[in-house]
Amino acid sequence: MSPVSVVVHPDAQLLAKAVAARLVTRLVDTQNARGSASVVLTGGGIGTAVLRELAEAPARDAVDWRRLDLWWGDERFLPKGDPDRNETQARAALLDHVDVDPERVHAMPASDGPDGDDPEGAAARYATSLAAATRAEDKGGVPSFDVCLLGVGPDTHVASLFPGQPALYEETRSVVAVRGAPKPPPTRISLTLSAIRRAHDVWLLASGAEKAAAVNLAVKPAGEVQVPAAGARGRVRTLVLLDRAAADHLPPALVSPGGVIPGHGETTSRLS
């Protein structure tokens, strides 16, 4: 797995703005090089804030939204349009404001979708969509996503992969149904860690003091069953993008003043 680079911003608002700007640059560069790009979206407070900032970013239209594939890392298994669904929040924050190709917006199935109230069937359907988008050089029936955005929960969960849950032992499937999640709603659909690790870049996002302990565990070598965020790594690059409160428990050397980039208000360091 790739080494981890930590970037710390002064507060949550600046973190969301900076991640949005970073994502614009990444997508534009990828589209210029290859013609299209793909990103895995995340929900949660900071994930949705990034999408709102992206919708308002001056450089937003530098991205060719018609040549962008959008996937989700997880979803609450609720009816389509439910305000708690990550898809619903992403559409309100960003997708309703840009010219996306509906065929390239790959939302996870809803509980009133073609599989009905069957999360296992819905997970299998999403896995089929991933496999259909997979090129010959990709592995495991999962596209090589350009960027996978993931929020880090205070218990170290990413996507809907919670500590100690059976989904963390899954090595063959790309998408799983999650039942009995400790955070409501209890039924969800999630990419597995093996699918997440097919991404070129994984960007872990966290803001707030309540995430500090989890972030500290996530950047260290740790068992992914106990600390799912420690298993979320990109093939080439892993970024941990934080505000200062979320970085509070990191070793001082990791966020030393020598890492400050003049004019950017951010601190960077790299972990092997």
Side-chain angles (χ1 to χ4, degrees), residues 141-157:
V142 180
S144 293
F145 310 115
D146 294 302
V147 179
C148 178
L149 301 172
L150 294 169
V152 178
D155 59 354
T156 75
H157 83 265

Side-chain angles (χ1 to χ4, degrees), residues 15-247:
L15 169 62
K17 287 180 179 293
V19 174
R22 187 184 292 271
L23 187 57
V24 167
T25 299
R26 181 73 169 85
L27 296 178
V28 169
D29 287 349
T30 300
Q31 289 179 335
N32 286 339
R34 205 178 63 235
S36 63
S38 61
V39 62
V40 178
L41 301 180
T42 186
I46 192 62
T48 304
V50 168
L51 298 185
R52 286 196 296 266
E53 292 293 346
L54 185 53
E56 298 173 4
R60 179 193 78 181
D61 292 332
V63 176
D64 186 341
W65 295 98
R66 303 290 296 182
R67 294 189 295 142
L68 180 65
D69 282 290
L70 294 155
W71 303 88
W72 271 263
D74 74 319
E75 186 57 274
R76 288 85 180 258
F77 197 55
L78 298 168
K80 186 172 179 62
D82 189 287
D84 285 338
R85 276 179 59 86
N86 291 335
E87 177 200 359
T88 305
Q89 295 171 17
R91 289 187 181 279
L94 173 65
L95 303 185
D96 290 345
H97 308 288
V98 292
D99 184 27
V100 294
D101 179 351
E103 296 298 316
R104 301 182 79 160
V105 178
H106 308 280
M108 286 185 165
S111 63
D112 57 352
D115 302 291
D117 193 20
D118 176 12
E120 285 78 16
R125 182 178 298 275
Y126 205 65
T128 299
S129 297
L130 288 169
T134 301
R135 299 170 298 181
E137 62 269 28
D138 293 333
K139 298 178 181 179
V142 180
S144 293
F145 310 115
D146 294 302
V147 179
C148 178
L149 301 172
L150 294 169
V152 178
D155 59 354
T156 75
H157 83 265
V158 290
S160 282
L161 303 174
F162 295 89
Q165 292 285 310
L168 292 163
Y169 295 93
E170 181 58 59
E171 296 181 356
T172 58
R173 289 184 291 174
S174 59
V175 189
V176 292
V178 176
R179 293 181 181 268
K183 179 180 179 181
T187 306
R188 297 157 175 254
I189 302 171
S190 181
L191 296 186
T192 60
L193 284 177
S194 62
I196 288 168
R197 290 195 284 252
R198 290 301 304 147
H200 184 284
D201 285 17
V202 166
W203 297 4
L204 295 171
L205 314 178
S207 67
E210 70 278 9
K211 304 289 184 70
V215 167
N216 187 41
L217 292 171
V219 302
K220 296 178 177 179
E224 58 196 42
V225 173
Q226 293 76 31
V227 183
R233 299 291 187 264
R235 289 185 297 108
V236 176
R237 184 166 67 159
T238 303
L239 293 178
V240 181
L241 304 169
L242 311 170
D243 65 7
R244 284 191 180 136

